[in-house]
């Protein structure tokens, strides 16, 4: 488990590109045959990936969270961005197709990730890739599986402003219940590149993005920092961003893409955000 300590906006002006990437970018979320996790002290979030690659992967407890098992004091949202896979939680098998979301609540002891896709000629597999987003939990909510498109679907933006996108809310106050987590997937339409504009902050929550479906020869330019002291990171496919509550977040790609957004903090109101109009950015 990697650890990332909390930062404040006064540090941004003195940071190099390498410093920014070390603090806010998770460049290697998926490693075949492994579970990788990063603990950020911003709202005590743990994010990471599990890529079975033909093996069964057991989610362990980690010394950094001082728990006998991972979900002893936590909850987790899981979205599969690879081929079909299974997540077995205390013996109950959940099958996640591409884009499906699974919520597991506090108190579940045993979590096992595995592939379930058909083998291709030559023995290759479609390969499940499970993105994990976890936060501390004060009570236990039941496990819930949501198939792609079965969450709350919102159509946002416009082709004229290059930000037409379909947003699927899975874990939220009017959907799958959780203690803190708000989580979903946004897919940009062809010809659109901005994931949100105007940029915004929400001083009451930390948000993390996982960018995926980014073409190999494309990148996303992710904005961060304060509105009068902006910086950016160049992000590739299946890389994640940690966005502290004080940091604005928005991004533009060189091609259309998708991203998982996930938040934890003070409340679960999706629209609780403070806009940063483009005319105020520097």
């Amino acid at each position: 488990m990697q650890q990332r300590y909390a930062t404040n906006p006064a540090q941004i002006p003195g940071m190099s590109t390498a410093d920014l990437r070390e603090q806010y970018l998770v460049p290697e979320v998926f490693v075949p045959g492994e579970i990788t996790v990063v603990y950020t002290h911003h709202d005590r979030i743990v994010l990471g990936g599990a890529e079975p690659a033909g093996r069964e992967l057991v989610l362990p407890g980690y010394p950094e969270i001082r728990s006998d098992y991972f979900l002893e004091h936590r909850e987790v949202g899981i979205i599969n961005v690879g081929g079909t896979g299974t997540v077995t939680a205390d013996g109950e098998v959940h099958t996640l197709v591409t884009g499906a979301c699974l919520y597991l609540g506090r108190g579940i002891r045993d979590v096992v990730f595995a592939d379930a896709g058909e083998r291709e000629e030559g023995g290759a597999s479609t390969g499940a890739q499970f993105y994990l987003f976890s936060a501390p939990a004060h009570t236990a909510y039941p496990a819930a599986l949501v198939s792609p498109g079965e969450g709350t679907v919102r159509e946002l933006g416009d082709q004229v402003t290059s930000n037409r996108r379909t947003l699927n809310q899975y874990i939220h106050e009017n959907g799958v219940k959780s203690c803190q987590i708000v989580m979903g997937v946004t897919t940009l339409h062809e010809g659109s590149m901005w994931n949100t504009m105007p940029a915004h902050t929400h001083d009451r929550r930390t948000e993390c993005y996982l960018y995926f479906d980014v073409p190999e020869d494309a990148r996303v330019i992710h904005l961060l920092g304060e509105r009068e002291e902006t910086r950016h990171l160049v992000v590739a496919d299946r890389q994640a961003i940690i966005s502290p509550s004080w940091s604005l977040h928005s991004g533009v790609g060189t091609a259309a893409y998708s991203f998982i957004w996930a938040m934890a903090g003070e409340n679960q109101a999706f629209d609780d955000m403070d806009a940063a109009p483009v005319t105020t950015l520097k």
Side-chain angles (χ1 to χ4, degrees), residues 10-24:
Q11 295 173 260
I12 290 288
M15 283 186 170
S16 66
T17 297
D19 294 333
L20 292 169
R21 292 176 73 86
E22 185 177 356
Q23 285 291 342
Y24 306 119

Side-chain angles (χ1 to χ4, degrees), residues 251-274:
V252 61
T254 58
Y257 55 93
S258 301
F259 65 101
I260 296 172
W261 44 268
M263 299 175 272
E266 189 68 29
N267 65 53
Q268 295 179 305
F270 178 81
D271 294 318
D272 177 15
M273 58 185 72
D274 305 304

Side-chain angles (χ1 to χ4, degrees), residues 20-279:
L20 292 169
R21 292 176 73 86
E22 185 177 356
Q23 285 291 342
Y24 306 119
L25 178 70
V26 182
E28 197 170 38
V29 176
F30 299 105
V31 177
E34 295 184 15
I35 296 174
T36 64
V37 288
V38 174
Y39 181 104
T40 171
H41 286 255
H42 289 288
D43 286 304
R44 306 283 175 181
I45 287 166
V46 174
L47 68 150
E51 184 173 352
R55 301 174 52 193
E56 287 192 345
L57 300 178
V58 178
L59 184 62
Y62 292 92
E64 292 84 353
I65 61 174
R66 297 297 189 273
S67 295
D68 291 336
Y69 54 97
F70 189 81
L71 294 177
E72 184 177 9
H73 306 117
R74 290 185 157 267
E75 59 185 0
V76 65
I78 302 165
I79 293 179
N80 182 17
V81 297
T84 302
T86 63
V87 180
T88 303
D90 282 350
E92 183 177 2
V93 179
H94 305 273
T95 299
L96 278 69
V97 299
T98 306
C101 176
L102 175 66
Y103 170 80
L104 298 178
R106 173 177 173 151
I108 292 175
R109 284 183 167 271
D110 300 316
V111 179
V112 182
F113 301 96
D115 286 325
E118 294 182 1
R119 293 281 169 177
E120 300 174 355
E121 187 176 348
S125 174
T126 52
Q129 291 181 317
F130 300 103
Y131 178 67
L132 319 176
F133 183 88
S134 173
H138 60 269
T139 191
Y141 285 101
L145 176 63
V146 187
S147 297
E150 290 185 354
T152 301
V153 178
R154 300 173 66 170
E155 298 293 337
L156 301 173
D158 194 289
Q159 196 69 35
V160 173
T161 48
S162 300
N163 66 350
R164 187 178 173 212
R165 59 204 190 275
T166 299
L167 184 148
N168 281 271
Q169 295 171 291
Y170 291 138
I171 305 172
H172 63 112
E173 60 183 352
N174 297 314
V176 174
K177 299 300 181 185
S178 73
C179 294
Q180 286 199 71
I181 293 175
V182 181
M183 192 174 190
V185 175
T186 296
T187 300
L188 276 74
H189 293 218
E190 287 297 323
S192 287
M193 286 80 73
W194 285 100
N195 58 51
T196 182
M197 184 50 72
H200 62 271
T201 61
H202 25 71
D203 224 15
R204 295 144 295 279
R205 294 194 299 263
T206 295
E207 183 164 11
C208 297
Y209 281 4
L210 174 79
Y211 288 106
F212 69 103
D213 289 343
V214 180
E216 186 176 350
D217 60 349
R219 292 294 185 269
V220 177
I221 311 302
H222 180 93
L223 299 180
L224 66 132
E226 293 187 293
R227 65 188 69 195
E228 295 189 353
E229 195 70 55
T230 60
R231 295 292 187 272
H232 73 273
L233 293 174
V234 179
V235 186
D237 185 50
R238 285 165 169 72
Q239 294 184 335
I241 292 284
I242 298 167
S243 184
S245 60
W246 49 263
S247 176
L248 60 83
H249 37 279
S250 182
V252 61
T254 58
Y257 55 93
S258 301
F259 65 101
I260 296 172
W261 44 268
M263 299 175 272
E266 189 68 29
N267 65 53
Q268 295 179 305
F270 178 81
D271 294 318
D272 177 15
M273 58 185 72
D274 305 304
V278 67
T279 54

